[in-house]
Amino acid sequence: MEPVCPITSSRATEISALLSPPSPRQLQEYYHNIFSATHCNGITVKHDQKFGKGVYAAMDFKEDELVLKDQMLVGTQHSFNKIDCFVCSFCFRFIGSIETQIGRRLYLRELRANESHACDVGTSSQSIENSHEMDSSDEEDSTLQGCSGGLKNIVPLPEGVVESLMNGELRLPCSEKFSLPPSVPCPGGCGEAYYCSMLCAEADWESSHSLLCTGESSDPRRREALLKFMKHANETNDIFLLAAKAISSTILRYHKLKANCPEEKLKYDASCVSDNYNFYLLLEAWRPISMGYKKRWWDCIALPDDIDSSDEVSFRMQIKELAYESLQLLETAIFDKECEPLFSLEIYGHIIGMFELNNLDLVVASPVEDYFLYIDEMTNPDKEEAEKITQPILDALGEDYSTCCEGTAFFPLQSCMNHSCCPNAKAFKRDEDRDGQATIIALRSIYKGEEITISYVDEDLPFEERQASLADYGFRCKCPKCIEEEP
């Protein structure tokens, strides 16, 4: 049965206004503010009636030159990646120390490998995120020993080494050359979020986390509902976590506008469809989300290869039901009556669809890989001495020692970049790019006034495969390469 959301019908007028495309003036003002705040003078965003938004060069760029560093609007680390990488929950920079990163990964991997021995990682978020601060004790020792039997094809370390790495008692050779920011716990005490600085902790709290924190100080019913929502997202699709951040950030912006902007000082936008002051503020708070290209998630998600076309209608209905199940859990946790339209299935579906169509992989290289490469490049006798300590640890980590931070994020400027199968730019992290910002690099010389394009798909695929992949984005590519290769 198709899910029926009562808010969708009762707040239809407001929902329609929220989903209406922004005016050219609103687009211009929004991106002008971004460029001013970030001192980004090399590009501009223009709107074309036929092709929509696009990013254009405001100066010449040379091959391999940095075109743009774009701060994400919302982002999240994949839940499975949290075991391997301990990063700032706001900027996604690695935190702690090389020893913390290694010890924490080995400890949590043991827990994960022995879920059948009551070492389920998911049952103790506090132990997961606080493991770098643990003090060794008989209880912890027995836990580690009890879990060790479940690891296969891994060279075990001597007893106590993992704890010593986490507690800072064991310092690895030359690790001081790879210093990381100390970890700052969530101000709400949730034990899930950690940061590289108080600035990031405060920024995350003000932007969304204050509504999504599961700390003990929060309302018990709200906390229980949030935990259910997060469990559902982790078990189904963590794109729901991005949607929750988008809704939370909009609610918090709304209340900040309401507190800081007295009604008599506001000039109502002539294009606003409602005379309601509160809804006018909600439209303003929604503005960053309104800029993204949207479709309903269940309409735009690609049909999986194992789903027959005859089952497509059923598949899309199941996706819609999944979204509604997630929305109901989120509504129970953070519902705000003044922002009620945000909790309609129509809005939720469009937010997730925006992420589905515009997301960029979040990747941050691991300093652990750099550390072991440094050791490997040392010369004897220093290398030989260092490897007496580091080689057993490298053997224990195995082939995945260089795992990157992985997640997904929405970037306001990168999302405006149009596709080409012969792009002049690409998303590419340089050695110095150590946080979650999107980094766009020129693939060739780009001249002032030229549109900056990236590829949404593997441009080396055959023509028909590229077109089939791009169909999920709702267009057929007419770039020079496709025109030349079209049969």
Side-chain angles (χ1 to χ4, degrees):
M1 180 181 295
E2 182 171 355
V4 178
C5 175
I7 297 176
T8 297
S9 55
S10 65
R11 307 299 295 268
T13 301
E14 291 95 331
I15 291 167
S16 177
L18 289 167
L19 294 178
S20 297
S23 68
R25 183 183 64 79
Q26 290 169 337
L27 283 168
Q28 185 179 13
E29 287 181 355
Y30 176 73
Y31 292 108
H32 173 75
N33 290 337
I34 290 182
F35 295 141
S36 298
T38 58
H39 306 289
C40 182
N41 302 315
I43 62 171
T44 185
V45 174
K46 298 180 183 179
H47 185 268
D48 182 277
Q49 293 296 329
K50 183 177 181 181
F51 299 106
K53 296 190 297 292
V55 176
Y56 293 81
M59 56 179 279
D60 293 341
F61 292 98
K62 298 177 182 178
E63 182 178 350
D64 295 327
E65 187 176 355
L66 176 67
V67 173
L68 166 69
K69 289 199 75 171
D70 195 8
Q71 178 63 51
M72 69 186 69
L73 184 63
V74 288
T76 186
Q77 182 185 11
H78 292 317
S79 57
F80 64 80
N81 184 251
K82 292 182 178 181
I83 287 179
D84 294 324
C85 301
F86 185 43
V87 299
C88 174
S89 295
F90 186 71
C91 75
F92 301 95
R93 185 186 302 273
F94 278 76
I95 55 178
S97 65
I98 294 296
E99 290 84 0
T100 296
Q101 293 290 335
I102 294 172
R104 180 179 176 277
R105 182 186 304 183
L106 291 172
Y107 174 73
L108 296 179
R109 190 174 64 188
E110 289 180 350
L111 293 183
R112 179 175 60 180
N114 290 274
E115 289 177 339
S116 60
H117 295 280
C119 295
D120 187 348
V121 176
T123 61
S124 181
S125 61
Q126 190 71 25
S127 67
I128 288 177
E129 300 303 337
N130 285 351
S131 59
H132 66 289
E133 297 177 345
M134 287 176 55
D135 294 321
S136 58
S137 66
D138 293 340
E139 180 179 350
E140 287 152 4
D141 287 344
S142 64
T143 300
L144 289 170
Q145 292 169 10
C147 292
S148 62
L151 298 173
K152 297 179 181 180
N153 302 320
I154 295 295
V155 180
L157 287 170
E159 184 177 347
V161 172
V162 171
E163 299 97 307
S164 296
L165 286 167
M166 289 191 295
N167 294 332
E169 296 172 359
L170 174 60
R171 302 298 298 178
L172 298 177
C174 304
S175 66
E176 70 279 0
K177 297 181 182 296
F178 299 85
S179 62
L180 302 176
S183 61
V184 177
C186 161
C190 65
E192 295 287 344
Y194 282 81
Y195 303 93
C196 67
S197 65
M198 278 303 301
L199 287 176
C200 275
E202 292 168 359
D204 197 34
W205 185 263
E206 292 176 5
S207 64
S208 66
H209 191 65
S210 57
L211 288 182
L212 300 174
C213 181
T214 57
E216 294 291 344
S217 60
S218 60
D219 178 82
R221 288 177 296 180
R222 176 177 159 276
R223 180 173 182 270
E224 182 181 359
L226 272 174
L227 290 171
K228 287 181 179 179
F229 166 78
M230 293 174 181
K231 181 175 185 292
H232 178 267
N234 288 329
E235 291 175 348
T236 56
N237 195 323
D238 56 14
I239 203 169
F240 296 140
L241 299 176
L242 278 183
K245 285 189 173 185
I247 290 175
S248 297
S249 65
T250 303
I251 292 172
L252 291 171
R253 276 194 298 270
Y254 165 81
H255 286 290
K256 188 174 182 179
L257 282 172
K258 190 173 182 180
N260 295 338
C261 299
E263 183 171 359
E264 62 272 18
K265 292 185 179 180
L266 273 175
K267 294 181 180 180
Y268 279 75
D269 191 320
S271 64
C272 185
V273 299
S274 173
D275 292 331
N276 182 277
Y277 171 65
N278 287 348
F279 184 66
Y280 171 77
L281 291 181
L282 183 58
L283 281 173
E284 289 301 306
W286 171 257
R287 192 69 63 209
I289 308 297
S290 74
M291 296 295 158
Y293 175 68
K294 300 178 190 66
K295 285 186 176 182
R296 289 181 296 195
W297 184 44
W298 45 89
D299 292 334
C300 68
I301 189 172
L303 193 67
D305 294 336
D306 59 347
I307 300 292
D308 189 86
S309 57
S310 62
D311 296 323
E312 180 173 354
V313 173
S314 175
F315 166 76
R316 298 197 180 281
M317 183 58 65
Q318 290 174 16
I319 293 297
K320 187 175 183 179
E321 292 170 353
L322 181 65
Y324 192 41
E325 183 179 354
S326 171
L327 174 61
Q328 289 177 305
L329 292 169
L330 182 64
E331 182 181 348
T332 302
I334 65 168
F335 180 74
D336 187 307
K337 182 63 178 178
E338 292 183 37
C339 301
E340 185 177 42
L342 299 180
F343 295 92
S344 69
L345 183 56
E346 191 73 5
I347 290 291
Y348 199 59
H350 276 81
I351 291 174
I352 303 170
M354 180 182 76
F355 295 145
E356 185 75 26
L357 294 169
N358 297 280
N359 271 11
L360 188 68
D361 287 339
L362 171 65
V363 179
V364 183
S366 170
V368 175
E369 178 179 21
D370 295 336
Y371 171 73
F372 283 112
L373 288 175
Y374 177 87
I375 297 296
D376 186 59
E377 291 170 0
M378 292 174 68
T379 57
N380 286 326
D382 293 339
K383 177 179 178 180
E384 186 175 336
E385 285 299 310
E387 286 186 336
K388 289 178 181 178
I389 298 174
T390 62
Q391 190 59 50
I393 291 173
L394 186 58
D395 292 339
L397 286 170
E399 295 180 356
D400 65 346
Y401 77 94
S402 60
T403 301
C404 298
C405 169
E406 298 175 355
T408 186
F410 178 84
F411 298 89
L413 296 176
Q414 174 273 331
S415 66
C416 296
M417 291 184 173
N418 287 317
H419 164 84
S420 173
C421 296
C422 48
N424 56 22
K426 67 175 179 178
F428 179 77
K429 287 293 183 74
R430 305 162 299 172
D431 289 343
E432 62 266 36
D433 299 319
R434 293 294 182 173
D435 60 18
Q437 293 183 84
T439 306
I440 306 298
I441 305 293
L443 285 171
R444 58 168 174 79
S445 294
I446 302 174
Y447 300 102
K448 183 177 179 180
E450 184 178 356
E451 183 175 10
I452 299 170
T453 57
I454 58 176
S455 180
Y456 297 174
V457 299
D458 181 357
E459 60 266 33
D460 293 327
L461 289 173
F463 170 79
E464 291 297 345
E465 290 186 35
R466 296 200 308 272
Q467 295 293 350
S469 297
L470 291 168
D472 297 328
Y473 293 92
F475 69 90
R476 186 171 181 83
C477 185
K478 294 292 185 181
C479 72
K481 182 176 180 178
C482 287
I483 293 174
E484 181 181 342
E485 294 179 4
E486 187 168 10

